[in-house]
Amino acid sequence: MKHQVSTEIRQDDEIDLMELLQILVKEKKTIFITAILVTLLSLGGALYERDISKKVSTIFTVTEGYKEDNLLVNNVLEKVYRENDIREKNKISLDEFRKEFKITGVIPKDIAEKKEFLAKSGGTLDYIPTSYRVDLRVGNIGESKKVLDDYYKSLNDYYRALNESRYRFKYFDASILGNENYNYEDYLRILNERKESLKSLIGERENTRIDYASYGFGYRQIQLELENLESIRVQDLKNYLLATNIVRNPEKFQSEFLNRKIGLENSIKEKKEEANNYKKLLNSYKFEGENIVIPKGVKVTVGDNQREKYYVELMDNYLKTENELMALQQQLDELIYINKNLKTGTEIEKEYIMGSLKSIIKSYNDIVQQANILEIKENYINSGAIIKLTSPIEIVSNSKAKLILAVGIVMGVFLGVMMAFIKNFYHSFKKFNSSVMMLAMFCFVGINGYSKEEVTLQFTHKEIKQGLNPDKTPFDLNEILIKEFLVKRAGVDIEDLKNISLRPVFPVGSINDTENRLKIGEKNYLYTPTEYLLTLNLKNINKEKEIKEDLIKEFPSFYVNHFLKNSNGDFDYLKEYSNYREILRALNNMMTSISLEIDLRKKNAETKEMFYEYNNLGVELNKIRGIAFRDVSNYIKSNNIVSNVSLEKKFLDGEDRYINLELQSLRGKEKIYESILKNYTVGEKQATVLESGDISMSSDIGLRENQYIEISKTYLSNLNKENSLKIQLLENIRLSKNMKEPNDEQRYRINKELLNVQNELKGLLSKMVGIELRDYRREYIGSVKVL
């Protein structure tokens, strides 16, 4: 009996389960619709949560001396706030905008561990990070990215303006040539002061120049042009003025003559007294000491000997004062000579003088322009990116959208089942005919009738790892790609730039990887993307394809050549100068400059191959100087050929007068140097036995010996210069008597041979630049790809 009851109960249970399954199958539409509705609601919530949790992040690396406070500059914040119209778009104040910047110092793990350890014992550790993570969310995520990018660029512009040198070499104002209160020599004196200042600064740049191919001849080229200006154009005009005694305003010159003469005489008197004081000190100075033999194996301690230094400094100051005295005396002699037989000159002579002054000023201003270009570039290299973007601006999110969506799907299914049972339980209707819900997933309105053109650019040159272009300037595609290539070369209208976008391509999570590497101690780590996506949306498919083709064909070589172009420039001395003497001097100056440059590059050659190549260039230069240049120079001199006899005679007359003044000055210097060398006392090796038995010797032993050698060299140099000037004087006298202008055959031969020398020097320069650029081109050609 019990058994039968149990069976019935089991049969009832089976019926109930079947009914449940039937209900689920019957109400499948209800379950599906409910699940879809709940899932859609959770999807909306997930999307919203994901959007509001997004932010843009990057890492700024600062130079030493900059802190977190330096990253939020009120002037820069206000500029970005205003230019991006943040008040109107987001309804927030400037102070609220400032608070949206979340800046966190990136602290290396070892520093963090030390700080934590010291904190437990009540201690502290001061540490100023050099890298900072910056997070920002203002408006939508696209706007936030643009704002952070604008802020970074504006911040660098701000600090570059503060730190870069604002000094620019000044141009010579040619308008003062019209001021008759100035005499001709006044212009030359003003120009000389500026020229010497420029020459000094250029000399410093040459010694510490940026070692890079794009500089080519660089500051050396400027030095060469200054030398040509000084030794050719300026010297010719000075010779002309001295030979003719022409001044612009004789009355004014004579009225100033007495004051200038008295001023020079007083300066000479002061210098003489100063020189005599130094001489007395030198004559009264005595040395005491004895020679000590150092036993083998005895330790020597290097000491200091101030007496040696003091004597050497005295001698240096004495020689400097005597040289200044001689220079003042030469100025006085020249002034007295010019004051004799003053005249204003003929109209032709005045025209020649003013034309020469204009030419000199133009040449000087061209040099200033070149110097300022190099100065600006050097400033940009040194101060172009004081704040470095260590990681590209990236969209990051800590969203739980996936979890919300997953929970929504589960809840949707659960609620769907519940709804099915509820409907069946209450029997609210006999037959459930619900309409299937129409779901609009996504639709695109106003789809373009053509696809946008996209171009991928890849960069693999070695400097990209430091975020630099090949010429060491900060890597900035907006400058070289957008402004230089698309606008200036491809002819894209500035208005169309808003329809062109450029974004870096990099792995997700790059900022976290960069931050972790900084934390483990890679202080100088910098991640710069090597791939960029350029999107063209100009609404003109033909124009987009044309630009894309130009990019693929031309941009790789354009980029490389833009940064590797050399600055040695072209020259044509046969057109630049009007007579043979000037052309020969210019070519000689060029050869001297090339020789100095070859020696410098041999010294800094990175490989033996480069050293031997530069050495071979030196051999070629000597061949040019010793054969082609010598032959044409000898031909001109042996035949007494000049371009313009009357003008050349005036040049030679003035040059002879300057030579005589300089010879007089040299003879005075020689007497001084002879006296010094005759009475000079060389240093004595001094040593002291210490209590320990060691020997203490002066580290400056040999200072006086070295100075004696240098004085001897200067003395010999002055003697050689005197002999050269005497020979030059005799040569000028001979030429002045026999000079003639060339016939057609001679003119043709001379021009041909001078042109040959010039072309050989150009070829030598090209080889020099080729050696320097060769290894760069080996690397850079192929380092830029456009796909």
Side-chain angles (χ1 to χ4, degrees), residues 311-357:
Y311 183 83
V312 169
E313 287 178 4
L314 274 179
M315 183 61 71
D316 286 340
N317 289 331
Y318 172 64
L319 288 173
K320 179 183 176 183
T321 305
E322 287 286 4
N323 285 323
E324 290 172 349
L325 175 60
M326 291 297 171
L328 289 170
Q329 185 62 53
Q330 187 171 343
Q331 289 181 36
L332 179 60
D333 294 340
E334 182 181 342
L335 181 65
I336 294 172
Y337 186 89
I338 294 174
N339 192 54
K340 299 176 182 178
N341 303 318
L342 293 178
K343 60 181 180 179
T344 58
T346 66
E347 290 301 319
I348 294 177
E349 289 174 328
K350 290 179 183 179
E351 184 178 346
Y352 171 79
I353 293 171
M354 292 303 293
S356 297
L357 284 170

Side-chain angles (χ1 to χ4, degrees), residues 474-489:
F475 182 76
D476 183 4
L477 276 184
N478 285 316
E479 183 69 28
I480 181 65
L481 174 62
I482 304 299
K483 295 180 182 179
E484 295 295 330
F485 187 85
L486 292 182
V487 175
K488 294 183 180 180
R489 187 182 182 92

Side-chain angles (χ1 to χ4, degrees), residues 85-96:
D85 200 18
I86 292 174
R87 177 186 294 275
E88 294 297 324
K89 291 180 180 178
N90 301 286
K91 309 301 180 185
I92 60 174
S93 66
L94 180 60
D95 288 339
E96 290 172 323

Side-chain angles (χ1 to χ4, degrees), residues 3 15 66 123 164 172 180 200 242 268 274 296 332 414 416 434 439 443 471 524 542 565 588 632 674 687:
H3 178 70
I15 292 170
Y66 286 79
E164 72 178 358
F172 192 102
E180 296 189 358
S200 174
L242 189 62
I268 290 171
E274 186 179 346
K296 183 179 180 181
L332 179 60
F414 180 74
S434 80
L439 300 176
C443 64
D471 67 342
N524 297 320
N542 293 328
K565 58 187 177 183
N588 186 64
V632 66
E674 286 174 359

